[in-house]
Amino acid sequence: MRIYECADYSAMSRQAANIISAQVILEPQCVLGLATGSTPIGTYEQLVEWYKKGDLSFAGVRSVNLDEYRGLSAEHDQSYRYFMQTHLFDHVDIRRENTNVPNGMAEDPAAECARYDQIIRDLGGIDLQLLGMGHNGHIGFNEPTDYFPLGTHLVDLTQSTIEANKRFFASEADVPRQALTMGVGSIMSAKSVLVVVSGADKAAIVRSAFCGPITPQVPASILQLHPHVTLVGDRAALTEIRKEGVAVCG
C-alpha cells in the first residue's frame, strides 16, 4: 500500500485527481469506479478544471458508481446519480450511456443487483476504484457485519450512517433506510484502489482499517489484502496511522 500525506483537503483532492487523471491519460477507455459523499467533491472539481483547460478528456471513459439509495429517482437532488451529474458528468465530455449508477427505483432489487454485476463483468472489470470511507469503516454502503458481501446487494443502513447523511436531507426521517451497493468482492476485483480520507474525525478509523485486524466489522480492513491500494489523506486524517510507523509519502 502506498500512502500520500497531504497538507490539507485541497492538496489531498489534487493528489487524488492526479492519480485518476494519470489513469485516464494512460488508458483513455478505462473503467473508473466512482464514489460519492463529501470527500471526493474536491477531487471531481479538480478533474473538471483540468478538463476545461484541455488537459484531460473523458470521451472514452466508462464508469460504474458504488451505490445508490433505494427509493430515490435519478432526478432526486440527493440521489447519487444526481450527485455525479452535478459534480462531474455534466461538466466533462463523458458520454451519458457510458456512466452507470444502480437504479434506486428498481421494483426488484435483487434483479437490479444482478444486472449491475453483469454490467461490471461486461466492462471487463474496474481499472481504478475510488473510495471514501465512513466513520464505521464502511466502503460503498458495505456496513459492518459478520461477513464480506461479494456482489452488488441491498443493504440496511446503520444508524451511524443515517446520522452522518442526515445533513443532506431536510430531516433524519427523510434519509433512506436502504441502499443498493457494490459488494466487497467487486471492489476487491478492481485492478487498483484509491482511498481518499480527510479530517481528524477519520483518523481513528483509518488506523483501524489499515493497521488493525481484517474483519467485516471494519469493512475497509479487507483492503489490506488488495495488491494495489493507494491511500491519500490530509495530515489530520493520517494522525493515528503515523503512530504505527507506517511509511508515508509527502
Side-chain angles (χ1 to χ4, degrees):
M1 181 174 66
R2 181 181 291 270
I3 303 175
Y4 289 96
E5 181 182 81
C6 304
D8 53 25
Y9 177 79
S10 178
M12 180 216 75
S13 299
R14 186 177 180 87
Q15 179 62 49
N18 269 324
I19 293 169
I20 295 171
S21 64
Q23 174 71 52
V24 173
I25 291 168
L26 290 172
E27 192 176 355
Q29 294 187 318
C30 65
V31 178
L32 296 180
L34 299 177
T36 54
S38 56
T39 306
I41 289 176
T43 299
Y44 293 146
E45 288 175 347
Q46 183 65 74
L47 291 171
V48 169
E49 180 181 331
W50 286 335
Y51 164 74
K52 289 181 176 179
K53 288 182 177 179
D55 297 333
L56 195 59
S57 172
F58 293 84
V61 170
R62 286 80 51 78
S63 72
V64 286
N65 260 76
L66 280 168
D67 41 33
E68 179 60 281
Y69 286 119
R70 187 182 185 195
L72 296 192
S73 70
E75 293 74 30
H76 192 288
D77 64 3
Q78 293 305 320
S79 76
Y80 289 151
R81 163 60 77 173
Y82 187 93
F83 177 100
M84 291 307 306
Q85 294 297 143
T86 301
H87 292 289
L88 182 64
F89 297 159
D90 286 346
H91 308 287
V92 298
D93 58 345
I94 195 167
R95 298 166 62 185
R96 170 81 182 220
E97 60 268 29
N98 284 345
T99 65
N100 299 280
V101 181
N103 178 11
M105 297 299 290
E107 292 185 9
D108 185 343
E112 173 61 13
C113 291
R115 183 191 74 87
Y116 206 68
D117 285 338
Q118 187 61 52
I119 287 173
I120 296 171
R121 286 192 292 270
D122 290 346
L123 289 171
I126 298 166
D127 293 302
L128 173 62
Q129 177 64 60
L130 174 64
L131 296 176
M133 187 165 59
H135 291 93
N136 61 3
H138 73 245
I139 47 177
F141 273 129
N142 293 284
E143 300 279 14
T145 185
D146 295 329
Y147 64 99
F148 290 111
L150 295 179
T152 304
H153 59 288
L154 181 67
V155 63
D156 295 324
L157 304 186
T158 64
Q159 188 58 40
S160 64
T161 298
I162 293 169
E163 286 286 332
N165 291 344
K166 70 180 183 181
R167 67 188 188 277
F168 302 116
F169 293 83
S171 70
E172 181 183 320
D174 295 320
V175 183
R177 266 46 185 177
Q178 292 182 311
L180 304 175
T181 186
M182 195 185 295
V184 170
S186 300
I187 293 169
M188 290 294 287
S189 294
K191 294 174 185 174
S192 62
V193 175
L194 169 61
V195 186
V196 290
V197 289
S198 176
D201 58 326
K202 293 291 179 70
I205 194 60
V206 168
R207 184 179 188 177
S208 295
F210 294 105
C211 298
I214 298 171
T215 168
Q217 293 299 323
V218 182
S221 65
I222 193 71
L223 296 173
Q224 295 181 46
L225 299 178
H226 196 286
H228 301 293
V229 173
T230 301
L231 173 63
V232 180
D234 60 19
R235 191 164 294 134
L238 301 185
T239 300
E240 293 297 321
I241 200 172
R242 284 203 311 273
K243 295 178 181 177
E244 299 291 334
V246 177
V248 300
C249 303

